[in-house]
Amino acid sequence: GEFIDAHTALQQGLINRVAPADQLDATLQSLIDAITAKSSVAVKTGKDMFYKQLDMDLADAYEYAGQVMTCNMMADDVSEGIDAFIEKRHAVWTGR
């Protein structure tokens, strides 16, 4: 119930990053760019998986995550990501 400043929240792991007000837009754009550079399939799958397993116990969450990751391996974007990594190039995501 106590108020804390941003740096304390960062130290305690409650937030990912802190930016001065004059750098907020640039910091936010950097985060946006990092997320949008990823496969939309991977981002959506990861977010859906995260929220669904919040109500699970640890064993069930691990089991569910394993199933989701296995199924996700069939996505076209996964093959593209692996190929791009091996070929040392940027991936071209299809959203499938």
Side-chain angles (χ1 to χ4, degrees):
E2 294 179 29
F3 288 102
I4 59 174
D5 63 26
H7 290 287
T8 301
L10 181 65
Q11 289 173 338
Q12 294 179 0
L14 299 173
I15 57 175
N16 294 356
R17 60 186 50 84
V18 173
D22 65 334
Q23 295 176 20
L24 184 58
D25 287 342
T27 302
L28 179 57
Q29 190 60 55
S30 177
L31 178 59
I32 291 168
D33 292 345
I35 293 169
T36 58
K38 308 293 184 228
S39 160
S40 62
V41 172
V43 173
K44 181 180 181 341
T45 301
K47 285 180 68 173
D48 290 347
M49 181 179 70
F50 172 78
Y51 287 114
K52 184 166 182 177
Q53 67 184 356
L54 282 177
D55 295 328
M56 298 179 182
D57 63 42
L58 187 60
D60 290 340
Y62 273 118
E63 175 68 24
Y64 174 66
Q67 291 172 3
V68 170
M69 287 187 282
T70 300
C71 290
N72 191 46
M73 291 301 291
M74 302 306 294
D76 292 342
D77 275 2
V78 172
S79 296
E80 170 59 13
I82 293 168
D83 290 346
F85 176 79
I86 291 170
E87 296 168 10
K88 298 186 183 351
R89 62 174 173 80
H90 290 287
V92 178
W93 307 120
T94 63
R96 296 177 294 180

